[in-house]
Amino acid sequence: MSVSGLPMTVADPGLPARVRIHEVGPRDGLQNEKTVVPTDVKAEFVRRLAAAGLDTVEATSFVHPKWVPQLADAEDLFPRVKDLPVRLPVLVPNERGLDRALALGARHVAVFASATESFAKANLNRTVDEALAMFEPVVVRARDEGLDVRGYLSMCFGDPWEGAVPIEQVVRVTKALADMGCDELSLGDTIGVATPGHVQALLQALNDAGVPTGRLAVHFHDTYGQALSNTLAALRHGVTTVDASAGGLGGCPYAKSATGNLATEDLVWMLQGLGIETGVDLAALTATSGWMAEQLGRPSPSRTVRALSHKE
Amino acid sequence: MSVSGLPMTVADPGLPARVRIHEVGPRDGLQNEKTVVPTDVKAEFVRRLAAAGLDTVEATSFVHPKWVPQLADAEDLFPRVKDLPVRLPVLVPNERGLDRALALGARHVAVFASATESFAKANLNRTVDEALAMFEPVVVRARDEGLDVRGYLSMCFGDPWEGAVPIEQVVRVTKALADMGCDELSLGDTIGVATPGHVQALLQALNDAGVPTGRLAVHFHDTYGQALSNTLAALRHGVTTVDASAGGLGGCPYAKSATGNLATEDLVWMLQGLGIETGVDLAALTATSGWMAEQLGRPSPSRTVRALSHKE
């Protein structure tokens, strides 16, 4: 149900005027789908997201196909979307992945580290420091090639095996990624347990350690319904890059209950109400997520998509 | 999945130290259930909520049984729970309803007005001012009897027929309820369209009109996933009373898509992470909502309930 004039726009002068949404639906959203989504459908998903005004659409991952079968078609998919007039970041776990991405003309790549030993072991079969050592040559070479490099940090606010994650531990790993040359650091709440004071404290600790807010992005999961209020806390701290997944698709394969990235539509509803520019057309985005939900054969977990798709 | 030590507690000095949760599950949560819930189950629900530490549990409504058949057992239910050591507000639409509530020894009552003409017509078959005129003798008499009176305001942030609702219109009706003697005013976002700047602007406008924050409560719906970030904005403004419904039960019969009160568990997760005292035991509350979901035969819409109920 769409009601004209809603949400009403009332700005908050303490928040940024503009936010970049880093759309992760085609990669993070789809990577754990059990049924392989046809490459044509993925390409159309990326195209529709770009057409809805998202200027950054994470397209796929150049990990070994054995680890993420859903994204095994990266070589086939990327050329179909690479000429879209948007940023199309891709994940590269190692130098081989970077080679593949470079060969296809990718301009934006991302590595993915963990703030905890348990998740580094589960996701990368390495210690945290071994993983950082693996990423360093990737980041250095990517930057030498003129690419823009993002560093993902998982488990920044809690870990399913370790529980609470000390802030200084997250700062250490984030700073290591920053120091090796990552342009942007995305702080992931992989199991969705963060709350607003914790978000602000981590951002402040990173600033205190010399990582400016301008290099930080936030990546919240809605497992406990906290993603949007944590986003609001991050915006109040000055963060202007927010990760979200169209329709709320996605989760994490190794983290039980880690269902639900922040839905891009729920984020856009809030930002639109706050008068914060994103460039996104909410109706077109909602239609895209509705279409993708049909392809996947199940309703979108995004509350906004469900509300706006509700037929009178 | 419950992980020990999560959420990690990190306070925000700009927020209140303590919040009172006004639990509306047994009334607002159940009133639109199509299958009549047995009175025994309702009484047990109220008892379990009180045992989980909720000190205010809205028990039922003394509207005419024809309008809300689910709550037609108010006379039977109330005596079964009235000796619990918690506040048990009940809804009273008119003097007849107040008579019934007084006869049973209710000490906390609530009237329910609308900020918009369309909803006043749909819900009460009256204009806004006719509804206020109906409530005035109820409020005056209830206060003469020493009762604590709450005034609900519906459609404070948007209306399914009228769209955006001017802030000055909400202020006028809220102030009328305050002036006639309501101790507390609960600002309802009945269709869930509010965003944080709008929330702050309405609260400030009410303050400017002479209604102090201490008399204001917020009542958000999660239709577009906005309830918790709006709550955070209200807390930052100083609000210390927040309405929520255990398990996210409820909606609004006349407002399409108005599904989903803010789930008490999602709220408690955030408040616990922020170190804000509520007196609520999250595990006991989640167990209660899980039990109630079994009674209703469908899973809880609360993300926290679903995450914490997830079996490894």
Side-chain angles (χ1 to χ4, degrees):
Chain A
M1 183 183 67
S2 172
V3 179
S4 167
L6 296 176
M8 204 166 111
T9 297
V10 185
D12 177 330
L15 301 181
R18 186 171 176 87
V19 160
R20 168 181 294 171
I21 297 174
H22 186 105
E23 170 61 44
V24 299
R27 197 275 307 169
D28 196 8
L30 294 183
Q31 70 183 8
N32 302 316
E33 286 294 323
K34 292 202 171 52
T35 309
V36 172
V37 177
T39 308
D40 276 347
V41 171
K42 291 178 186 169
E44 181 65 16
F45 189 33
V46 174
R47 274 192 290 268
R48 289 186 187 218
L49 290 167
L54 289 153
D55 62 12
T56 305
V57 182
E58 202 166 279
T60 186
S61 173
F62 290 95
V63 294
H64 194 288
K66 183 171 85 175
W67 299 115
V68 187
Q70 181 63 254
L71 303 182
D73 62 352
E75 253 92 8
D76 191 11
L77 172 66
F78 194 78
R80 302 193 199 194
V81 296
K82 68 173 283 216
D83 292 330
L84 289 169
V86 298
R87 274 175 290 270
L88 294 164
V90 295
L91 259 57
V92 293
N94 48 33
E95 294 204 77
R96 212 160 42 247
L98 177 61
D99 290 337
R100 294 166 63 201
L102 282 169
L104 293 173
R107 301 304 304 155
H108 303 266
V109 297
V111 296
F112 42 100
S114 167
T116 66
E117 293 294 345
S118 301
F119 190 68
K121 182 76 186 167
N123 198 36
L124 300 164
N125 198 28
R126 281 170 171 77
T127 66
V128 167
D129 288 332
E130 284 166 359
L132 290 173
M134 172 174 75
F135 294 135
E136 182 150 29
V138 179
V139 173
V140 169
R141 218 178 104 216
R143 299 228 341 145
D144 285 348
E145 298 275 356
L147 271 56
D148 184 74
V149 185
R150 161 177 263 227
Y152 275 106
L153 265 286
S154 290
M155 304 297 175
C156 293
F157 299 92
D159 175 286
W161 299 278
E162 301 180 18
V165 179
I167 285 176
E168 54 274 21
Q169 184 174 325
V170 184
V171 169
R172 181 183 80 84
V173 187
T174 308
K175 196 156 164 44
L177 284 175
D179 289 347
M180 73 175 67
C182 288
D183 300 280
E184 183 171 86
L185 296 315
S186 173
L187 307 169
D189 182 17
T190 317
I191 59 169
V193 299
T195 49
H198 193 172
V199 172
Q200 293 159 247
L202 175 58
L203 293 168
Q204 187 58 53
L206 284 163
N207 295 162
D208 294 345
V211 185
T213 303
R215 288 176 72 183
L216 298 171
V218 288
H219 183 109
F220 293 121
H221 279 213
D222 220 11
T223 321
Y224 297 82
Q226 308 295 310
L228 204 52
S229 54
N230 288 334
T231 301
L232 181 60
L235 296 178
R236 201 168 295 284
H237 190 86
V239 168
T240 57
T241 302
V242 179
D243 297 5
S245 176
L249 293 174
C252 173
Y254 301 102
K256 286 174 183 159
S257 297
T259 46
N261 280 286
L262 170 60
T264 313
E265 294 82 1
D266 297 12
L267 172 63
V268 170
W269 184 281
M270 182 175 82
L271 297 177
Q272 193 169 313
L274 284 162
I276 296 173
E277 282 185 49
T278 62
V280 176
D281 176 336
L282 182 57
L285 174 60
T286 303
T288 297
S289 291
W291 168 83
M292 195 66 212
E294 280 173 28
Q295 309 302 313
L296 297 173
R298 58 167 195 276
S300 164
S302 160
R303 295 189 190 252
T304 299
V305 171
R306 279 185 280 158
L308 291 176
S309 306
H310 185 84
K311 302 292 184 296
E312 300 275 327
Chain B
M1 180 183 71
S2 174
V3 179
S4 166
L6 296 177
M8 204 167 110
T9 297
V10 185
D12 177 330
L15 301 180
R18 186 172 176 86
V19 160
R20 170 182 293 171
I21 297 174
H22 186 105
E23 169 61 46
V24 299
R27 195 278 303 170
D28 196 8
L30 294 182
Q31 67 182 9
N32 302 316
E33 286 295 322
K34 291 201 173 54
T35 309
V36 172
V37 177
T39 308
D40 276 348
V41 171
K42 291 178 187 170
E44 181 65 14
F45 189 32
V46 174
R47 274 192 290 268
R48 288 185 187 219
L49 291 167
L54 288 153
D55 62 11
T56 305
V57 183
E58 202 165 277
T60 186
S61 173
F62 289 95
V63 295
H64 193 289
K66 185 172 80 175
W67 299 116
V68 187
Q70 181 63 257
L71 304 182
D73 62 351
E75 253 92 7
D76 190 12
L77 173 66
F78 195 78
R80 304 194 198 192
V81 297
K82 67 173 285 213
D83 292 330
L84 289 169
V86 297
R87 275 176 290 271
L88 294 164
V90 295
L91 258 56
V92 293
N94 49 32
E95 295 206 75
R96 211 158 43 247
L98 179 60
D99 290 337
R100 294 166 63 201
L102 282 169
L104 293 173
R107 301 303 305 153
H108 303 266
V109 297
V111 296
F112 41 100
S114 167
T116 66
E117 293 294 344
S118 300
F119 190 68
K121 183 74 186 168
N123 198 36
L124 300 164
N125 197 27
R126 280 170 172 76
T127 66
V128 166
D129 287 334
E130 285 167 358
L132 290 173
M134 173 173 77
F135 294 135
E136 181 148 30
V138 179
V139 173
V140 170
R141 218 178 103 214
R143 300 231 336 148
D144 285 349
E145 299 275 357
L147 271 57
D148 183 74
V149 185
R150 160 179 264 226
Y152 275 106
L153 264 287
S154 290
M155 304 296 173
C156 293
F157 298 92
D159 174 287
W161 300 278
E162 301 181 19
V165 178
I167 285 176
E168 55 274 20
Q169 184 175 323
V170 184
V171 169
R172 183 183 78 84
V173 186
T174 308
K175 194 154 166 49
L177 284 174
D179 289 347
M180 73 175 67
C182 289
D183 300 280
E184 183 171 85
L185 296 315
S186 173
L187 305 170
D189 181 16
T190 316
I191 59 170
V193 298
T195 49
H198 194 171
V199 171
Q200 294 160 243
L202 175 58
L203 293 168
Q204 188 57 53
L206 285 163
N207 295 162
D208 294 344
V211 185
T213 303
R215 286 176 73 184
L216 297 172
V218 288
H219 183 109
F220 293 120
H221 278 213
D222 219 11
T223 320
Y224 297 82
Q226 309 294 311
L228 203 53
S229 53
N230 289 332
T231 300
L232 181 61
L235 297 178
R236 203 167 295 284
H237 190 85
V239 168
T240 57
T241 303
V242 179
D243 297 6
S245 177
L249 292 174
C252 172
Y254 301 102
K256 285 173 184 159
S257 296
T259 46
N261 280 286
L262 170 60
T264 312
E265 293 83 0
D266 298 12
L267 172 63
V268 170
W269 184 280
M270 180 175 81
L271 297 177
Q272 193 170 313
L274 284 161
I276 296 174
E277 282 185 48
T278 62
V280 176
D281 176 335
L282 182 57
L285 175 60
T286 303
T288 297
S289 291
W291 168 83
M292 194 66 210
E294 280 173 28
Q295 308 302 311
L296 296 173
R298 58 167 196 277
S300 165
S302 160
R303 295 187 191 251
T304 299
V305 170
R306 279 185 280 159
L308 291 177
S309 307
H310 185 85
K311 303 292 186 294
E312 300 276 329

